[in-house]
Amino acid sequence: MTETPPVDDWATDFDLFDDSYRKDPGPVWKELRETCPIAHTERWGGSWLPTKYEDIQAFVRMVPELSSRNPLVVSQPKEEQEFDPVLAEYGNSAPPITSDPPDHIPMRRMILPLFTHKAVAKHSAFVETMCHELIDGFIEKGSCDAALDYAVYIPAKTIAHIIGVDAHRVDEFIGWVRGVIELNAGDADERNKYNRILRQFFGELVTERKANPKDDMISSLLAQEINGAPVSKKAVVGMCNLMLVAGIDTTWSSIGSALLHFATHPDHRRRLANEPELMPSAMEEMLRVYSPVTMAREVTEEVQTGGVTFKPGDKVLMNFPAANRDPAVFDNPDEVDLDREKNRHIAFGIGSHRCAGSNLARLEMETALRVWFERIPEFECSNPDAVIWSGGQVRGPRHLPFTFPAQ
Amino acid sequence: MRVKVIADKCEGHNRCCALAPEIFDVDDYGTATAMNDGNVPLELEAKAKLAVENCPEYAIEYVKD
Ligand code: HEM
Ligand code: SF4
């Protein structure tokens, strides 16, 4: 990632990729919320950063003034996309996340039935078996990288299984997804390269399924209609692309952050190991405190709010992670309370773009933590200083050196 | 106690169903409804309250008869 100068004033010059901010953004949000509360920066193409729960609840509902057509935290230059032959053939949108009314709801309704809690329950045995197999791979050693040997594979293998793509290619998928949304914020060419690879991959697969339908997700998406017309190939390519991109970095981050929390808070770890019935509230608390995802909106009509003016073309960040630490809504917001009963967190977003995969993400996270705790109830992080945090669109630990009694 | 889901506000987070499956159901698109006309038996009132307090869309309300 490109080096950026240090930040003097977070209210007017914040940097999402600042090292200490990536490690622990809580103190910055607290100060901004009390003094600002909507910060601005010219860095990374320029954006606004709200910090209050109430503001974010309001902003997601300002449709179409705040459009989803460009939800990346750092935009890609438009010119390049227009002249790219791969993107011209297979499209560059990712419905429904990049859709606005009137297209959004019909696109979203195509995939929602695939991800209801009843529909995702069908994958629970697959996820559980996979978690056990991953642990089998390192439990005898007494050490592992909990991010790279465990957490990352859980969403990657699950979504490959659901979409019906070759499980042997998961390492490639992970590389492509990271290339698009995590590793190249400052390098548009690199990001475009991975975007093109993803589009080409799904483009070919969708063309193949269109000619020879199978009993799988891509074929059933292709068979659907929107307002009486068959859904376009481009839309299905975009959706498949989105499911990979939206499901991997995000869930990986949530599982990794939770494992790191328990590795570095032995009192909490012991409690969860001894009281597995705490899992539902503990998991929601992990999602709240370590919310991984920030989305963006592009301003299409001037909006005046809270003393600032959003101008057409501006980028406004949907800072769900900061909203989840707002003391106006959460008692002792920076404290982890595994018993927290009242937890109206918005880690999966809110409003019409609420994460369509949230039931699947919760199933994966719950299974990943439960199986880990059953097999490895005692564990610690051997070098907390070596933990690397990704930042920007998705925040999560990318290297987690763990040790535990070898078995 | 009686509760209802405001359909226009519900975005299908499924928190209500997870916390109080005896009271709430969701359709294929994730939209929730309160079963049994929203009537909550005494022994489930605490669960209903949990659902109300965890809905990120503030979509569940108490109905005053
Ligand atoms: C812990 C894991 C996850 C988190 C925190 C998360 C978070 C989010 C957030 C905040 C949004 C809202 C986007 C916006 O407002 O612009 C979103 C949308 C979406 N997510 Fe997730 N996500 C996770 C896992 C998944 C998984 C596993 C899938 C699987 C397919 C998925 C699929 C989607 C889709 C399709 C959308 C777009 C919905 C729409 O625009 O209508 N997500 N996610
Ligand atoms: S928790 Fe709220 S938004 Fe979610 S399904 Fe229930 S009523 Fe709807």
Side-chain angles (χ1 to χ4, degrees), chain A residues 173-194:
Chain A
F173 299 151
I174 294 165
W176 301 344
V177 169
R178 297 187 74 186
V180 171
I181 62 169
E182 180 186 319
L183 298 175
N184 300 304
D187 188 341
D189 286 344
E190 271 296 289
R191 270 214 276 177
N192 224 18
K193 179 177 106 189
Y194 289 105

Side-chain angles (χ1 to χ4, degrees), chain A residues 53 57 61 109 112-113 116-118 284 341 343-344 349-351 354 359 362, chain B residues 11-15 17 25-29 50 52-58:
Chain A
Y53 187 94
Q57 280 273 1
R61 292 168 219 286
R109 287 173 72 93
L112 284 176
T116 61
H117 72 283
K118 286 175 200 149
E284 295 305 321
E341 286 208 325
N343 193 350
R344 233 186 262 274
I350 22 165
R354 182 272 305 172
N359 291 310
R362 283 187 163 108
Chain B
E11 294 289 356
H13 291 255
N14 207 58
R15 297 290 297 130
C17 228
D25 195 10
V26 295
D27 68 13
D28 264 3
Y29 302 100
L50 263 187
V52 171
E53 292 182 345
N54 280 277
C55 171
E57 308 287 348
Y58 296 79

